[in-house]
Amino acid sequence: MRARAKQNLGRVHTVAPLEGLWSADDWAAFTERRKADWDWTMMIAQPDWIDDEMVAEANEQVRRKKNPAALDRVRWAQHPGHRAAQVLHVGPYDAEGPLIAEMHDTVIPDAGYALMGRHHEIYLSDPRKTAPEKLRTILRQPVRPV
């Protein structure tokens, strides 16, 4: 999208970090790292001035040039805002479990809230360039008042 925006509009934007929405039938699947039980969606936020037409053009260009097998699974959608508990995790992804468990079992209930929606992570570090112990990830859990 960044190249299309520059080419079509003369606008350049910083590429937002990768984000993930995670869910499972059993919340413990996250804290116990049972990855086969996870349902996930990955996303990258786009500026407000990116529109449906630009997305369709970019998808068509990718289809013509490379046609990756998963291209039909890519979708353009708006993520709804939500009230959430969040914390910064520093360290490997597989070490998130205890912090997520503390959020789910203690922090959120003690604040008078209940879990709702899909667990949301924002990956601030590039795992190709960052040592696992220095990875920074925002762990965000949507909540509702009890």
Side-chain angles (χ1 to χ4, degrees):
M1 289 309 317
R2 187 172 191 266
R4 302 295 293 172
K6 183 176 182 180
Q7 179 183 7
N8 291 359
L9 304 174
R11 295 182 82 166
V12 178
H13 64 279
T14 300
V15 176
L18 183 67
E19 300 184 38
L21 296 177
W22 303 89
S23 59
D25 291 334
D26 175 11
W27 284 108
F30 296 111
T31 58
E32 296 170 7
R33 309 308 283 173
R34 296 191 324 256
K35 296 178 183 180
D37 294 345
W38 299 356
D39 179 36
W40 52 271
T41 299
M42 302 310 286
M43 52 193 184
I44 299 176
Q46 298 297 315
D48 292 340
W49 41 267
I50 300 292
D51 62 22
D52 294 345
E53 183 179 328
M54 290 180 67
V55 172
E57 287 175 14
N59 282 350
E60 188 54 39
Q61 182 180 23
V62 170
R63 188 175 310 286
R64 282 193 311 269
K65 288 185 175 183
K66 298 182 180 184
N67 199 23
L71 186 59
D72 289 333
R73 294 174 57 193
V74 173
R75 67 184 188 274
W76 174 244
Q78 185 169 354
H79 182 268
H82 49 68
R83 178 176 289 177
Q86 70 178 19
V87 65
L88 176 66
H89 169 73
V90 178
Y93 303 132
D94 281 337
E96 293 174 356
L99 191 51
I100 294 171
E102 182 179 359
M103 287 175 67
H104 287 185
D105 300 338
T106 305
V107 174
I108 292 170
D110 287 356
Y113 291 92
L115 306 177
M116 65 170 257
R118 300 177 80 189
H119 175 76
H120 184 176
E121 296 190 356
I122 304 171
Y123 307 102
L124 302 177
S125 306
D126 183 340
R128 299 169 300 176
K129 300 175 183 176
T130 307
E133 65 275 5
K134 293 184 179 180
L135 290 171
R136 295 180 312 128
T137 307
I138 295 174
L139 307 177
R140 183 179 286 170
Q141 178 58 55
V143 297
R144 62 174 172 74
V146 177

